[in-house]
Amino acid sequence: MKNKGQVEVQFNWIFILIVGAIILSFFVVIAMRQKQASESSINVGFFVNFEKALSGISVVEGKKLLFEVPNMDLNYECTQSCDCAAYAGVSRARASASFNMRDKLIFSPNKLKGNHLLTMSTAWSYPFRIVNFLYITSPEVKYLIEDTPLGNSFYNLLPDKVLRVEQTEQRAFDKQLFTPDQPIKAISGNYKAKFTFIESKPEDFTIPSELVNLPNKDVTAIYFEKTAGSPERIRFYEKDSSDKTKFRETGVSYSFGEATQIGAIFAEDLNAYACMMNKALKKYEMVARVYLEKQNALVVKINEILLTNPSSPLKNCLISYVNSYMDEVIINVPNINFKNQLGENDIAARDLTSNVRSISLQNDNAIRGSCPQIY
């Protein structure tokens, strides 16, 4: 009987432990689900407000804004087919919240860590205004610009290191000039580093030891290559997996003006840059068609005036409205692919640059001749 009682006591304790574990697990699962639901709600709320803010920033040239970000894994991704979206979570397929870029033209790293996000807008004009570009980054990404006259110009165009938010100065952007053959100081605490080379070639550069242990794709570079012809080319690089102190080239694309060069500085890689620029070309074509109609309308109106007043000084304006250059722009734009700069695509890009110069000269001549401007 004594042994039987001991077995019953042991059984009761085992039963209590099992039931207790089940009850505890139940409440843990409920708590975890509530936590996930709460985080998901916070993330969705952030993205709703963030998208509204981006829409506002995108219509204002030169706008800079520092966002406070909830504690989450924020990512920005463009697939090879250029399906671009921002999302929260370890993967896009399991994102707790996301939004598609739609018509926004955003240049950004693929990972955005930290408590703040910096956004900036710049107008892309080539030669006439086309659209505003949006640039997004984290204050924890390091941007290193080669110390040359052009490099200093880029350095000054990039956002300020500190922005004032509600009467408080906040760290906003981490930028630094560097000389390739001299030691680089103050590289620490950054999860990404982006180098911009102007005169030196990335292949000849030795990556600082502080960056060797970062993932290869988080240490990248671009090189603005000067070419005898046009347009200017941008070469993209990332840290070489076989030699972590060196860069290897990953692709080549174009730059069409200052805003696109800044876009290349902010963009994660060639694919992300090309996706935005190929989308921007569609807007370019639409705007060019509007200006072509304006040229044609000006020619018609001036000819009507000349019928009644052949000596009108507007006669001299007609030379500024020859529409063949704008026609060529509309023809060339669909033939350009920023992911591929070889062959016929390269010819189309050179022709575009040449015609843009001619349109700019036409507009300048119209201004000097007191004629209506093309743009």
Side-chain angles (χ1 to χ4, degrees), residues 53-68:
L54 289 183
S55 298
I57 295 169
S58 64
V59 298
V60 182
E61 180 185 354
K63 181 71 174 177
K64 300 181 185 70
L65 192 60
L66 194 63
F67 284 92
E68 189 172 349

Side-chain angles (χ1 to χ4, degrees), residues 139-142 144 171 174 176 184-193 208-211 214:
E140 296 182 19
V141 177
K142 187 80 169 184
L144 300 109
R171 178 189 176 199
D174 194 347
Q176 180 179 336
I184 301 175
K185 299 179 181 179
I187 298 182
S188 62
N190 302 100
Y191 68 92
K192 271 182 177 289
S209 58
E210 294 89 341
L211 302 176
L214 288 179

Side-chain angles (χ1 to χ4, degrees), residues 297-310:
L298 287 170
V299 170
V300 170
K301 186 64 178 178
I302 291 173
N303 283 325
E304 289 176 354
I305 293 172
L306 292 176
L307 288 174
T308 57
N309 184 12

Side-chain angles (χ1 to χ4, degrees), residues 253-310:
S253 192
Y254 307 106
S255 70
F256 290 133
E258 206 169 68
T260 65
Q261 293 169 329
I262 297 174
I265 293 174
F266 278 85
E268 171 67 16
D269 52 23
L270 170 60
N271 180 68
Y273 172 76
C275 285
M276 291 299 104
M277 288 309 305
N278 284 341
K279 186 188 292 187
L281 284 180
K282 296 178 181 178
K283 294 182 180 291
Y284 192 6
E285 183 180 357
M286 290 190 293
V287 176
R289 290 185 182 278
V290 171
Y291 282 119
L292 177 62
E293 290 299 318
K294 181 179 179 180
Q295 277 186 300
N296 292 336
L298 287 170
V299 170
V300 170
K301 186 64 178 178
I302 291 173
N303 283 325
E304 289 176 354
I305 293 172
L306 292 176
L307 288 174
T308 57
N309 184 12

